[in-house]
Amino acid sequence: MDEKKLAKGKVVHIDWDLKNAKISDPSPVSAIGTAINENMSEETQKKESTMSFTAENRDTCKFMWKDAIGVNAKAEVKTQIPFLVNGKLSLGLENTFTFGKEKTTKTIRKEEVGSTVTVESGKNKTTTAETSLMKYVVLVPFVATLDNGQKAAGEFTGVQYIDKTIYTSQPISEVED
């Protein structure tokens, strides 16, 4: 697309380039909780524990246009947006996004963070599960198709918060009198 020519119209479709997407390394935001299973028996035990983080987190996304584009005021498009599932980028449920005359738009999803973990501990062991809130940033190139057939390239930035649990296990020490 000629950078001097302004693409004008309503966004009707977005094609995502997941192959060229970039996912940041996770960065810890906050500890959610710790669950401990101290097993003094001769059999493996399982203990379920629910942890929750009382503050809300915000998953955000931003569409940044690389091509010159003039989007009609309050134009809407229904599209799936990229998000992380089990460490891989996928397209999620369809959402409606509103674009203004500016080059970016943002939507915010508020969500309580909670996690239920099962802590399995072998005989005579203490197992600890520590759950933390991790922040991921994804950058995904896209091409938007306008209602007049023109195309405009851009980059989607998504910030997603995911809980991650790390398990550690150690033998129970015998207490000497």
Side-chain angles (χ1 to χ4, degrees):
M1 171 184 232
D2 183 356
E3 289 185 6
K4 294 179 183 181
K5 187 174 182 182
L6 179 67
K8 284 193 165 205
K10 179 181 173 186
V11 176
V12 293
H13 182 74
I14 294 180
D15 289 310
W16 300 100
D17 183 3
L18 297 180
K19 289 180 184 175
N20 290 308
K22 296 176 186 167
I23 303 169
S24 72
D25 289 332
S27 59
V29 175
S30 179
I32 295 175
T34 302
I36 299 172
N37 184 355
E38 187 174 69
N39 181 8
M40 295 178 155
S41 74
E42 293 296 316
E43 295 181 16
T44 298
Q45 289 182 348
K46 290 183 181 182
K47 178 181 174 183
E48 194 170 272
S49 181
T50 301
M51 304 174 219
S52 64
F53 186 64
T54 55
E56 295 178 335
N57 77 63
R58 290 183 169 92
D59 288 352
T60 62
C61 63
K62 178 170 61 173
F63 293 84
M64 179 68 75
W65 299 107
K66 289 184 178 179
D67 290 332
I69 185 169
V71 178
N72 296 337
K74 301 210 176 186
E76 290 185 348
V77 64
K78 280 189 177 184
T79 187
Q80 295 176 301
I81 61 168
F83 72 107
L84 288 170
V85 177
N86 298 325
K88 294 183 181 176
L89 206 53
S90 300
L91 292 179
L93 296 174
E94 191 171 70
N95 289 292
T96 300
F97 296 91
T98 303
F99 292 86
K101 291 182 179 180
E102 299 172 9
K103 293 185 180 180
T104 62
T105 188
K106 184 190 295 189
T107 187
I108 298 174
R109 180 183 63 151
K110 296 178 181 178
E111 168 182 64
E112 289 291 324
V113 177
S115 182
T116 300
V117 294
T118 301
V119 184
E120 187 173 319
S121 192
K123 62 181 184 177
N124 296 313
K125 289 193 175 186
T126 297
T127 302
T128 303
E130 294 182 72
T131 302
S132 298
L133 187 63
M134 307 298 280
K135 176 182 174 180
Y136 293 81
V137 177
V138 296
L139 303 173
V140 185
F142 69 87
V143 175
T145 303
L146 306 181
D147 59 353
N148 60 13
Q150 289 183 301
K151 307 247 184 215
E155 184 174 67
F156 168 88
T157 302
V159 178
Q160 189 173 347
Y161 295 86
I162 300 172
D163 57 305
K164 181 178 181 180
T165 303
I166 297 173
Y167 297 89
T168 56
S169 189
Q170 60 188 29
I172 294 174
S173 305
E174 291 186 28
V175 180
E176 295 184 29
D177 294 66

